[in-house]
């Protein structure tokens, strides 16, 4: 009887993980919380060229931004005016606010840097990674 209970529990756990998409599965909806100075979660996987619904919650005390940089763009020590030309997509969220927006994931698969472009936030560690995979 104990073996059957364990077997049923393992099947239920497997089905639960499959329903969540599992690790590394492309998502069409991202829920991200911003605070000083982090994104939670800080790793995202989306399908190339697909629409993505992004729900941002700013639990911080200051404005934060969610900035997707173009592929292969790298930020130096901090985000500067020179980096503006390398932005793929951007949204700002005031302190204590929630925002939901939709964007089209880049068509080119690869890893894209996500940062907060507010002065000093990237330097303080506010960065994430978006993995764009073939659909």
């Amino acid at each position: 009887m104990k073996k059957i209970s364990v077997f049923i529990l393992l099947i239920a756990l497997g089905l639960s993980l499959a329903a969540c998409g599992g690790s590394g599965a492309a998502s069409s909806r991202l829920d991200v919380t911003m605070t000083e100075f982090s994104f939670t979660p800080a790793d995202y996987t989306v399908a190339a060229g697909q629409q993505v619904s992004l729900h941002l919650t700013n639990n911080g005390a200051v404005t934060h931004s969610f900035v997707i940089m173009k592929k292969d763009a790298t930020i130096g020590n901090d985000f500067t005016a020179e980096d503006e030309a390398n932005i793929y997509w951007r949204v700002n969220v005031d302190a204590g606010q929630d925002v939901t927006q939709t964007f089209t994931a880049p068509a080119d698969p690869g890893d894209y840097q996500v940062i907060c472009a507010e002065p000093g936030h990237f330097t303080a560690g506010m960065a994430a990674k978006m993995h764009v995979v073939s659909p």
Side-chain angles (χ1 to χ4, degrees), residues 67-75 79 82-90 105-115 130 132:
V67 178
I68 302 169
M69 301 303 293
K70 292 179 182 175
K71 187 175 180 186
D72 299 326
T74 56
I75 305 299
F79 184 84
E82 293 174 4
D83 297 308
E84 292 282 342
N86 290 317
I87 292 176
Y88 173 78
W89 189 82
R90 176 185 188 148
D108 191 15
D111 289 337
Y112 292 75
Q113 188 175 36
V114 176
I115 65 153
M130 185 175 72
V132 177

Side-chain angles (χ1 to χ4, degrees), residues 3 39 42 63 80 93 126:
K3 287 182 182 180
F39 296 105
T63 297
T80 66
V93 184
M126 198 162 183

Side-chain angles (χ1 to χ4, degrees), residues 1 25 29 38 46 55 91 122:
M1 183 66 176
R29 178 178 167 90
S38 66
V46 298
H55 179 79
V91 62
F122 175 74

